[in-house]
Structure formats: C-alpha cells, structure tokens
C-alpha cells in the first residue's frame, strides 16, 4: 500500500477502505470503555511537553480554501443564503441540521506536531478509523501506516507541508482492526502564538468523496448542458440559479435572473400565471408536472411545458423550489393540428348522423346551418333552388339573376334585429349576375371573401342583408356551392365576425367537403319529395274523388298517408250505391308499399266496383276477386296479397250483410234505448255500446284455401259502422285487441257529428305505431228517408198472380200520384212475375219503393239469375227481359237468401233522361 502527494494535490490512489466508519461504531458498541488513569482523570489530549507549556491563545485553524474545486455555473458565484440559514442569523448559529451534507461526508481532523505525533484526534477521526483519542494522543501517526514504504511517503508529505504550508493527496491508513482505509487527505501548516508549528490533517473517506464529486459533476453537466431550461428559486421565489438554456428562452442573461422573481423577469401577464403555480408548489409540496402555457416572450411565440417541485434538505427543511421548462411549440402545434382535424372529422360525422335519415330539404338545410355554428363560423345561411325545396326537376340551363332561391337554413351565435335582417328563414334571395353568389352559382367554384370591398359584392349593391352583416362586424365570408351530380343546387354562406380569426384555405377546403356531403343529402331529399308527390298523386287519383251520401246512410272518411316517405301504402276505401237504395261499404289493404302497391290497389278497387255493379252478395264478390288475383298481382313473379271487408246495407229492411277476407273485423256502435230522436244527416252522434262484429275471418285475397262467408245482421236505427285498416289500431309493442278496444272506447262517447268522430279517432293513434297508411270509414245507418213510400206483397206461384200484381201496382201508383208510370210499370211487372210463376214453385214477392226513382223488385226462391235472350221474329216468347231493358231506366238481379231479386227503376215524371 502506498500514498503519494505534493503541495499542489498529489496523485490519488483508491484504497480498500469500505465502510470503516460503520465498522468502528460497531466495535465501540461491543468493546468496554477504556480504563481511566490512576489519578481518576482522563488522559490529556496533548503531549506531556506541551502540557507543561504555559497557556496561550488558541491557534487559528487555517481551513482548506474553497477554491480548490472551482467550477462553473451556480457554483462559480456565491449563492444567496436561504431564509432560516446561517446567513440570516450570523450571531446565533444554532445547532447544525441533522442529515446535512457534513453528516454524509464526514471530515476527520487530527493535529500533529512536526515530529508526526498526534496532539489532537477528533471524534470524526475516531469514528472513521476506530482508534480512540486516548490511545493515539502522543503517539506517532506512523503507527497507522500499513507498510514502511507508505510511512516514508507520509513523512515526506509532512516535510513538504512544513516547507510549503500545505499538502494534498490520498493515503491508506489502518483502522483498529488492521483493515486499510483509503482516505483523501489535506495537510495544512498551523503556527501558534509562540511560533510553534503544528500540522492540521483533514481526512475523508475516499469513496464518499468520489461519490460527492461524481454527483456534483453530474449536476453540473445536467444544469449546464441540458436542453431543458432549469431554474432554482429560494423560499421568496427569487432565482438563485438558472442555466443558459432558460436564460436564452426568457431572453434575459443568467446573472440578471439571480435575485429577481419571475414577475420581475418576465412580462406581467405571463408571469402572473407562473407565479401562482410556484406559490402553490411551495405551499403544498405537491409537484406540478407538464403544464402547457403560451410562451411569455413575445419575440419567441410558442408554447412551453413547465414543471415545478419543492426542494428540501435531508432534515426536511424547505430550501425552495426547482423548475424545468421545455419548449413544446412543435409538439403543441402538432397536437393542435391533430385535434383540429379530429374536431373537423367529428363535425362531418355528426352532420352525417343528423341528416342521414332526413328526407326533407328544409330540415337538412337547417341542420347544415346549425352544425357549423359556432364551431366553424359565427353566422351561416343555406340557400337552395326552389326546385330542390319543392321536389321539382333540376334546371337544365345555367343560373342567372332570375333563378329562384330560398333561404331555408339559418344559424347565428347571437340574436338581434341585424341578425333577423341578414338571416331571415324562408326569404327569397336575389343577386346580381356578377356578384359572388352569381359567380359561384354559374361556375361552382367556391370563393373566400375578406374585407369590406369584397363583402359588398356578395349579392347586389345596397343589399340590406349585407348592411346588417357590416353592422354585426362580419369581416370574412365563404360562399360555397351545394352540388349534386355536377349541378349547383344551392349555396352555403358562412361568415366570421368580431375578433375571431378570418377564414383560411384549410377552412375553405373543409367547408367544401361539408357542402358536398350536404348536397348529396339535399338531392336525395329532392328525389324523395318528387317520388312521394308522384306516389301520393297516383294514390289519390285511385281513391274515390267524390264519396256519395246514399239514402239511409251518412258517411264520413279519412285517409292518412304513411310517414315512411315515398313508400305509400295500398290502403283504400269505397262507397258504392247499389240498386234499391242499398249501399256497399268497402275497405281494403294491399300488402306492400310503393308505387306498385298503389297501382295494384287501383286495379283491385276497380275490380270490386265492377263486380259490385253486378249486385253480387259479399261472399260471392270476394270469391270472384280472389279468382282474379293473378291478373291483379303487382308482377308475374309476385302474388297478390290483400285484405278486404265488404258490407252491403239495405235501409228498407235495416239489414247489413258483411264478409271479410283476412281483414280486421268491423266495429258496430249501437245507440242506447234512451235515444228516441230519429237519425238525421249532420246531427250529433249520441254514442252507445260498441262491439266487434264476430265474422268468419276468411283468407286474404290471393291466398285461398278458406271459403268466404257472409253474415247478415239486423241493424238498429242510428247504429254506427266502423271500417278501418290495420294502420289505425296496430302498434309495435301492443296487441291488435288493444287498438280495437281504444277505438271502441272513443266511439262509445257522444260526438258533435260523424265528422268530429273521425277526428277523435285519428287523435288516438299512438306515436309508436307502424308508419303505415290509415283508411277510416264511418257509416251511420238509418232506415231510409222519413216519409219514403214503400209497398210490398207476397203472391202465390200461380198464373193468377200476374193479374193480381198488375192491379196492386196500378192502385198503389194512383195512390202515390204517379199515374204516368202505371202503363210501363204494369207491363214490366207482368213480364217479371210471369217468368217467376213459370220457373218458381214458391211464393213470389213484389215490392215498390218511391224515392228519387220508382224501384220495383220481384223476388223468388229460384237462385238462377234470369238470362236475356234475343228472340227471332217467329218466336212467341223470349222478349220479356228485352222489354225490361228497353223500357226501364236501369235493371238488374241480385242474390238474396237462397233465391234472387230482379229489379228495375223508372224515372219519375220530369226526371226522364234525354233520348240518345
């Protein structure tokens, strides 16, 4: 082992000291205390010759100069003392804080005479090497040297210190257990008042010294070479040190920071926010990490990330705060750009979701205007061609000042009279052909307008809307075309006002993208409106244009198109007058939606009317319609599927005959017994007891396999018959019986009229019902007009029945005062009764009814209808039905029960039809 050194700080060499101090403490704890001298006093800490020396003033100890480890930066200048430190109380130092740097790096002190004998041995030296002072004082330091070579070098070092006043180097000493300990050593020459020289030896464990030096080197490297700005502040929040990076970021020299606060260094507006963060960290001890603020230096605009944490020493005393500052301008702008793009994409997606299921141009225009305010603009307006708003075809010629434009969407960040003038919804827009609107309409090229001169050119000079825009402070505007299939169908105008930054090219590109998406939706809405108009027009033309009010029946009806756009349904109804003042009431529903369903509905309604003219019973009529299913289908590959209910009411007999084909059942409301007032057209409905008519269901038309059956009912005076389609009573989450029960509940109450009852029924439709068409038909059934003359007889099937029938007819017509009809009536009755007597074997019925015409009905139990023949000139018979056809106003036959009824009508005097 060796030790070398010189006056300038000789060569150092690492030893194998280890934790000698810890080992020494353990040894002292296990070893008994050294015995006292016989005199009872501890041995003096100075040698005997020195003890006999008269008392002199204590020698002044010359400590090593602090400049021995000169550095740069914070360590190169004297630091300001922290409050509470030694600098604040020079006359009252107090106890040193525990856990300080001196506790970690303990410096052992020994005083030697010129001969190398120990005069004083400090407790730190005792702890470092384990040798107590009572064993070393008066002994030569050589005894702690492991080998002779090292002893020689130590002696040379002592001589060098005596000559030059100091010596620095490293050495290896032996602790009490003989383990060598490497120490960094400083030897200084001391002289007492008598001129006697002594040597002060300062020793520190070499490993601890190198650890501190390494930490200081790291600190210097980080502080001076870090790309981050670093600041150290005391408890008064004054800078004690800053690195060059932060000085350059703040534009203030490092020396000009020291002793100043942030508020005295940076601009006031930026310093207030930073100072508040510093105070919070100092008071709470909670660090603040990565807070992004705008750069406080106007010459270097950008953004900074600041972090602060509180500093404490090993004893927990608050020393101040430390902070790091990083320039994050590029990161912030990149993040801001990504966030800006994300917000734009979110706006596009949100707009798409808001208008994705809309098929109304006005609503789409309003959604477009509202979606861009305030995220993109302060004011917005959507202007559309009138053809787009009304669902017409797009113009094929270019746009000019005569093009009709409507402002259908508006939005603004504020309200007021100026906004009302500039953004009046529904206003008709006019423009000059050379204006910005005119150019964009013609060319489809968007324009960005800035400044008063360009904004005056938006529509036409002197436009009150643009004057209102000036009053609102509008300074930037985008005029963007709304296009569909290459045709400009409108304009999107967005404007910014006040202190908001004007539009740029990125804003223009985004607005064009948004307008293109809106243009597609608007064109879809236009096509939808056109197709819906066509479908509704077709459907309305196929429904009854005029609904008759037959004798004994008061009718009210409503038709409500479905809410699913162009998908109009196949619901329909009809009121068909039949001979004998009878009335057919029909309601049907063709399955499916669209134009094809509407067309099929029209063909089905025509077939029903044609078959109804044959006066067929309801079940027979439905069977014939079913047989026509293939011809009535929507296409060769699609079968007809329709439901229908067909009812015939005869006011003379108060009988209702009903059959249905898979349709929902009718509802009948019978007035109470207390109602004595006869039925009158337009009168109030008294209400009554309602019930669902129990009818055989029958299969839908086109399905087959289930026979159709008719049910005949006797109807009380003033009863209300309700026929409707399933769209009125069906809903997504409830049974059909619930809807029918709700319908009965409404109609059981009194209503001012049958029309009012219709409205009350429609008001009960649930919001959650399927978006289907609704056909509703109400019929108040009476017993014919009051005072209508009627007469009837039953005659045996004998030849005498013919003459008797003639006499009865003649007498009755004379009684009614229509003798002018007697001759023709007798002739036709004679022919029909003769046919009945010839082929029937059961009683024959004759009935006369005098209404707007004279109705004559001949009934017999034979089901076969009469067939008209064309008799030859030599034939004696076969001319009866031909006479009826020629002389009667109308004639026909219908089934009734197991037989039939043959009828004819005669016009009353004065009401004869013109001769062909």
């Amino acid at each position: 082992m060796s030790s070398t050194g010189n006056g300038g700080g000789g060569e150092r060499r690492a030893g194998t000291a280890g934790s000698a101090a810890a080992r020494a403490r353990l040894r002292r704890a296990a070893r008994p205390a050294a015995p006292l001298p016989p005199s009872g006093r501890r041995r003096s800490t100075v040698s005997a010759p020195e003890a006999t020396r008269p008392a002199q003033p204590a020698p002044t100890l010359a400590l090593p100069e602090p400049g021995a480890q000169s550095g740069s930066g914070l360590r190169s200048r004297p630091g300001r003392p922290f409050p509470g430190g030694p600098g604040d109380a020079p006359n009252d130092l107090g106890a040193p804080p525990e856990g300080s740097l001196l506790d970690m790096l303990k410096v052992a002190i020994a005083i030697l005479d010129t001969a190398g004998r120990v005069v004083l041995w400090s407790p730190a030296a005792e702890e470092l090497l384990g040798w107590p002072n009572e064993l070393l004082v008066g002994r030569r330091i050589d005894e702690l040297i492991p080998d002779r070579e090292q002893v020689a070098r130590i002696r040379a070092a002592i001589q060098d210190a005596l000559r030059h006043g100091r010596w620095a180097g490293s050495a290896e000493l032996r602790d009490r257990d003989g383990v060598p300990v490497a120490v960094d050593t400083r030897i200084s020459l001391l002289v007492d008042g008598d001129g006697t020289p002594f040597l002060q030896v300062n020793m520190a464990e070499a490993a601890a010294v190198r650890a501190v030096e390494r930490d200081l080197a790291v600190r210097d490297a980080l502080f001076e070479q870090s790309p981050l700005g670093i600041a150290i502040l005391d408890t008064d929040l004054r800078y004690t040190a800053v690195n060059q990076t932060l000085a350059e970021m703040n534009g203030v020299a490092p020396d000009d920071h020291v002793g100043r606060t942030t508020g005295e260094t940076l601009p006031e507006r930026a310093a207030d926010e930073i100072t508040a963060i510093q105070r919070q960290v100092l008071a709470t001890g909670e660090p603040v990490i990565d807070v992004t603020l705008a750069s406080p230096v106007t010459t270097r605009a950008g953004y900074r990330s600041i972090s602060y944490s509180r500093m404490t020493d090993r004893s927990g005393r608050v020393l101040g705060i430390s902070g790091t500052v990083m320039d994050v301008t590029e990161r912030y702008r990149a993040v801001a750009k990504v966030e800006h793009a994300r917000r734009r994409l979110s706006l596009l997606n949100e707009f798409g979701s808001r208008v994705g299921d809309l098929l109304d141009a006005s609503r789409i225009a309003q959604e477009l205007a509202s979606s861009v305010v305030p995220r993109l603009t302060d004011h917005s307006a959507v202007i559309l061609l009138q053809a787009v708003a009304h669902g017409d075809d797009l113009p094929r010629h270019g746009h000019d000042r005569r093009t009709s434009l409507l402002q259908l969407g508006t939005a603004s960040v504020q309200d007021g009279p100026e906004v009302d003038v500039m953004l009046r919804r529904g206003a008709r827009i006019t423009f000059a052909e050379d204006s910005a609107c005119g150019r964009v309409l013609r060319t489809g090229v968007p324009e960005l307008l800035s400044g008063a001169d360009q904004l005056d050119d938006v529509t036409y000079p002197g436009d009150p809307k643009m004057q209102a825009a000036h009053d609102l402070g509008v300074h930037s505007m985008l005029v963007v075309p709304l296009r569909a299939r290459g045709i400009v169908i409108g304009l999107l105008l967005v404007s910014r006002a006040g202190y908001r930054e004007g539009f740029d090219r990125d804003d223009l590109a985004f607005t064009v993208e948004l307008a293109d998406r809106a243009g597609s939706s608007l064109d879809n809405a236009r096509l939808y409106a056109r197709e819906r108009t066509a479908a509704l027009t077709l459907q309305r033309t196929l429904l009854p244009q005029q609904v008759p009010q037959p004798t004994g029946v008061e009718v009210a009806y409503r038709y409500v198109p479905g809410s699913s756009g162009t998908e109009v349904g196949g619901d329909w109804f009809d009121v068909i007058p039949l001979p004998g003042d009878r009335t057919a009431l029909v309601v049907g529903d063709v399955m499916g939606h669209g134009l094809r369903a509407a067309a099929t509905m029209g063909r089905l309604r025509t077939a029903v009317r044609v078959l109804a003219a044959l006066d067929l019973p309801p079940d027979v009529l439905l069977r014939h319609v079913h047989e026509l299913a293939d011809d009535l289908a929507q296409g060769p590959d699609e079968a007809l599927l329709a439901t229908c209910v067909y009812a015939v009411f005869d006011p003379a007999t108060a009988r209702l005959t009903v059959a249905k084909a898979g349709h929902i059942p009718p509802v009948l409301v019978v007035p109470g017994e207390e109602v004595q007032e006869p039925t009158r057209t337009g009168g109030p409905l008294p209400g009554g007891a309602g019930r669902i008519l129990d009818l055989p269901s029958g299969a839908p038309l086109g399905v087959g396999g289930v026979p159709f059956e008719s049910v005949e009912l006797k109807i009380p005076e003033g009863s209300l018959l309700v026929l409707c389609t399933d769209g009125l009573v069906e809903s997504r989450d409830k049974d059909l019986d619930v809807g029918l029960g709700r319908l009965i509940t409404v109609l059981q109450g009194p209503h001012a009229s049958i029309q009012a009852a219709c409205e009350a029924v429609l008001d009960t439709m649930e919001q959650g019902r399927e978006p289907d068409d609704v056909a509703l038909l109400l019929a108040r059934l009476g017993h014919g007009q009051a005072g209508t003359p009627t007469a009837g007889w039953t005659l045996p099937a004998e030849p005498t029945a013919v003459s008797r029938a003639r006499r009865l007819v003649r007498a009755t017509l004379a009684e009614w005062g229509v003798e002018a009809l007697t001759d023709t009536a007798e002739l036709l009755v004679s022919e029909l009764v003769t046919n009945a007597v010839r082929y029937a074997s059961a009683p024959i019925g004759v009935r006369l009814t005098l209404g707007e015409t004279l109705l004559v009905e001949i009934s017999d139990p034979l089901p076969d209808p009469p067939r008209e023949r064309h008799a030859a000139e030599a034939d004696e018979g076969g001319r009866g039905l031909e006479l009826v056809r020629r002389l009667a106003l109308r004639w026909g036959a219908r089934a009734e029960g197991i037989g039939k009824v043959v009828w004819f009508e005669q016009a009353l005097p004065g009401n004869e039809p013109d001769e062909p």
Side-chain angles (χ1 to χ4, degrees):
M1 302 180 186
S2 62
S3 173
T4 59
N6 53 51
E11 179 183 355
R12 301 178 182 179
R13 188 176 171 188
T16 58
S19 301
R23 294 194 300 272
R25 286 193 295 270
L26 291 175
R27 287 194 299 271
R28 286 197 302 274
R31 185 174 66 244
L36 294 174
S39 62
R41 296 190 302 271
R42 294 178 64 90
R43 178 183 293 181
S44 173
T45 58
V46 293
S47 61
E50 293 167 345
T52 59
R53 190 178 297 137
Q56 296 178 357
T60 302
L61 301 179
L63 299 177
E65 297 181 6
Q69 295 270 347
S70 178
S72 60
L74 181 63
R75 296 170 60 209
S76 64
R77 65 167 66 90
R80 293 179 177 269
F82 292 109
D88 289 347
N91 298 325
D92 187 11
L93 297 178
E98 296 182 359
S100 67
L101 182 61
L102 293 177
D103 292 328
M104 182 184 71
L105 183 62
K106 295 182 179 180
V107 179
I109 300 176
I111 303 298
L112 307 179
D113 59 12
T114 56
R117 286 188 297 270
V118 177
V119 177
L120 183 145
W121 191 253
S122 69
E126 181 179 337
E127 184 176 356
L128 177 63
L129 298 175
W131 295 96
N133 61 346
E134 59 266 20
L135 296 181
L136 285 185
V137 172
R139 301 173 64 179
R140 297 180 64 87
I141 195 65
D142 299 354
E143 299 179 14
L144 300 180
I145 307 302
D147 55 57
R148 305 312 303 170
E149 183 180 356
Q150 184 76 347
V151 169
R153 292 177 178 176
I154 290 298
R155 289 177 179 175
I158 293 175
Q159 295 301 322
D160 190 61
L162 290 174
R163 287 194 303 270
H164 299 93
R166 65 176 58 186
W167 179 90
S170 60
E172 284 188 355
L173 302 180
R174 187 180 61 194
D175 65 6
R176 190 171 184 180
D177 295 332
V179 178
V181 179
V183 295
D184 274 4
T185 306
R186 300 291 185 270
I187 302 176
S188 301
L189 177 63
L190 302 179
V191 179
D192 64 3
D194 296 333
T196 303
F198 293 93
L199 295 175
Q200 175 181 300
V201 181
N202 297 329
M203 297 174 290
E205 193 172 359
V209 171
R210 282 192 291 274
V212 172
E213 289 179 344
R214 183 175 60 252
D215 292 344
L216 291 177
V218 171
R219 180 265 183 196
D220 288 342
L222 290 177
F223 195 82
E224 295 301 333
Q225 301 176 16
S226 173
L228 304 180
I230 302 176
I232 307 298
L233 296 91
D234 60 18
T235 53
D236 289 333
L237 298 180
R238 296 184 178 276
Y239 290 106
T240 60
V242 297
N243 66 351
Q244 187 64 31
T245 303
L246 181 60
E248 293 175 356
M249 293 173 67
N250 290 342
V252 179
D255 292 339
D256 293 336
H257 281 78
V258 177
R260 296 182 179 180
T261 64
T262 303
E264 296 170 345
T265 307
L266 300 178
E268 179 180 358
R269 185 174 181 180
D272 291 342
E273 189 172 6
I274 299 177
T275 302
I277 295 175
Q278 293 173 348
R279 289 173 178 169
Q280 174 186 343
V281 173
L282 183 64
T284 65
E286 294 291 333
V288 172
I289 300 174
D290 196 18
V291 175
T292 302
L293 302 175
S295 176
V297 182
T298 57
T299 57
R300 295 185 59 182
Y303 298 90
R304 295 181 179 182
S305 170
I306 63 173
S307 301
Y308 284 99
S309 60
R310 193 166 68 181
M311 297 186 304
T312 58
D313 60 13
R314 293 179 177 272
S315 64
R317 184 179 58 169
V318 177
L319 303 178
I321 62 174
S322 64
T324 59
V325 182
M326 179 171 58
D327 190 336
V328 294
T329 301
E330 294 301 324
R331 185 188 74 180
Y332 183 87
R333 289 175 178 172
V335 172
K337 188 175 181 179
V338 172
E339 178 64 19
H340 183 70
R342 188 197 64 80
R343 289 197 300 267
R344 292 290 173 85
L345 182 60
S346 174
L347 177 57
L348 287 175
N349 293 336
E350 179 182 342
F351 172 73
S353 63
R354 290 167 67 175
V355 303
D357 56 349
L358 295 182
L359 291 173
D360 184 278
S362 297
R363 292 185 60 188
I364 294 174
Q366 184 58 43
E367 290 291 345
L368 174 59
S370 301
S371 64
V372 296
V373 175
R375 287 185 284 183
L376 176 66
T377 183
D378 296 323
H379 311 284
S380 66
V382 178
I383 303 170
L384 299 179
L385 298 180
Q386 184 171 332
V388 177
H390 296 167
D392 299 331
D393 291 333
L394 295 178
R396 298 183 179 181
H397 54 77
H399 303 296
D400 54 27
R401 60 184 180 83
R402 294 184 297 275
T403 301
S404 182
L405 297 172
L406 297 177
Q407 188 168 262
L408 297 183
T410 60
S412 176
V413 295
Q414 64 186 86
D415 297 324
E418 293 85 2
V419 176
D420 295 338
V421 172
M422 184 177 71
L423 301 175
R424 183 166 60 87
R425 192 175 183 188
R428 190 170 296 276
I429 304 300
T430 57
F431 58 91
E433 293 187 9
D434 59 345
S435 64
C437 288
R439 292 192 298 270
V440 175
L441 279 173
R442 286 196 312 273
T443 64
V445 178
E447 293 192 10
L448 192 160
L449 308 177
S450 301
D453 294 339
Q454 293 184 356
L455 292 178
D456 288 337
D457 188 40
V458 173
T459 53
Y460 62 87
D463 187 357
K465 295 189 292 299
M466 300 316 302
Q467 181 59 45
H470 285 303
D471 296 339
L472 290 171
V474 173
H475 57 79
S476 183
M477 179 179 291
L478 297 178
V479 182
V480 179
L482 298 168
R483 291 171 291 208
R485 294 193 297 274
I487 301 175
V488 178
I489 62 174
L491 298 173
L492 171 61
L493 275 65
V494 294
S495 55
R496 289 180 177 176
Y499 296 103
R500 192 165 184 173
E501 184 180 358
F503 291 110
D504 55 21
R505 290 296 172 183
D506 289 340
D507 296 324
L508 179 61
F510 169 75
T511 308
V512 169
E513 173 67 20
L514 183 64
D516 288 342
R517 295 195 180 190
S520 299
S521 297
L522 288 168
D523 190 50
N524 290 337
R526 180 189 65 84
L527 295 174
Y528 156 79
R530 187 181 68 177
E531 295 300 323
R532 176 176 172 80
T533 302
L536 291 177
T537 301
L538 173 62
Q539 192 174 43
R540 290 192 181 102
T541 57
L542 296 176
L543 290 173
Q545 303 302 306
Q546 293 182 349
V547 176
Q549 296 289 340
T551 302
V553 179
E554 183 182 4
V555 176
Y557 60 92
R558 292 291 186 274
Y559 175 77
V560 180
S563 60
S564 57
T566 59
E567 296 296 314
V568 296
D571 293 14
W572 61 283
F573 68 93
D574 209 343
V575 178
I576 307 171
L578 297 177
D581 290 336
R582 293 173 304 116
T583 303
L585 305 169
V586 193
V587 168
D589 184 5
V590 176
M591 300 302 174
H593 295 85
L595 294 175
R596 300 177 68 180
T600 302
M601 176 270 291
R603 294 195 296 270
L604 180 61
R605 175 174 174 262
T606 302
V608 170
R609 288 190 69 91
V610 170
L611 293 172
L614 299 177
D615 208 359
L616 300 175
D619 57 333
V620 177
L621 182 141
L622 293 178
R623 186 172 67 249
H624 286 301
V625 174
H626 170 68
E627 292 171 354
L628 298 173
D630 292 340
D631 293 333
L632 298 176
Q634 298 181 12
D637 299 330
E638 300 180 24
L640 171 68
L641 186 62
T643 63
C644 181
V645 59
Y646 185 86
V648 176
F649 177 66
D650 187 350
T653 61
R655 291 193 173 276
L656 178 70
T657 306
V658 188
K660 68 187 183 77
H663 203 78
I664 61 174
V667 171
L668 184 66
V669 180
V670 179
E673 296 180 356
E674 68 278 1
V675 179
Q676 301 296 331
E677 184 179 354
T679 302
R680 58 186 178 85
T681 302
L685 288 179
R691 64 186 177 93
I692 299 174
L693 296 183
D694 187 11
L695 304 176
S697 62
L701 300 174
V703 175
V706 178
F708 303 107
E709 300 181 35
S710 296
V711 174
E712 188 175 287
L713 305 171
K714 183 71 174 180
I715 301 300
E717 173 77 14
S719 297
L720 184 66
L721 180 66
V722 183
L723 306 178
C724 64
T725 55
D726 55 4
L728 178 66
V729 293
E730 280 188 344
S731 62
R732 294 186 179 94
D733 54 352
K734 295 181 181 178
D735 294 336
L736 180 63
D737 293 341
V738 176
L740 289 173
R742 184 177 66 252
L743 176 63
I744 293 175
T745 302
V746 173
L747 294 176
Q748 286 184 146
H751 298 280
S753 65
I754 193 171
Q755 302 293 341
C758 269
E759 295 298 334
V761 169
L762 293 182
D763 290 341
T764 64
M765 289 192 303
E766 292 189 356
Q767 298 298 322
R769 69 182 185 89
E770 295 292 337
D772 197 4
D773 292 10
V774 172
L776 173 65
L777 182 62
L778 302 185
R780 178 158 54 176
L781 307 178
H783 290 176
Q785 296 179 352
T788 300
T790 302
W793 309 275
T794 300
L795 305 177
E798 299 175 354
T800 58
V802 178
S803 59
R804 186 180 176 185
R806 285 199 299 265
R807 288 194 305 270
L808 293 173
V809 169
R810 184 185 308 111
T812 302
L813 296 181
E815 182 182 351
W816 291 348
V818 287
E819 293 87 348
L821 303 177
T822 302
D823 295 338
T824 303
E826 284 188 35
L827 175 60
L828 300 184
V829 167
S830 176
E831 291 293 336
L832 294 179
V833 173
T834 300
N835 285 341
V837 171
R838 179 178 300 175
Y839 298 106
S841 60
I844 301 169
V846 178
R847 187 175 67 174
L848 276 66
T849 302
L850 183 62
E852 296 180 357
T853 62
L854 174 63
L855 172 64
V856 180
E857 298 172 295
I858 309 298
S859 60
D860 64 67
L862 189 65
D864 297 331
R867 293 192 299 271
E868 183 179 357
R869 294 189 303 168
H870 297 283
E873 293 182 359
D875 292 341
E876 294 183 359
R879 294 179 177 85
L881 292 181
E882 186 177 355
L883 286 175
V884 175
R885 180 178 60 81
R886 287 179 178 271
L887 298 178
L889 179 64
R890 286 186 297 270
W891 81 280
R894 68 175 185 273
E896 188 174 90
I898 61 173
K900 66 179 181 296
V901 174
V902 181
W903 57 271
F904 67 87
E905 291 181 353
Q906 286 183 261
L908 298 181
N911 293 335
E912 297 87 351
D914 296 335
E915 292 292 337

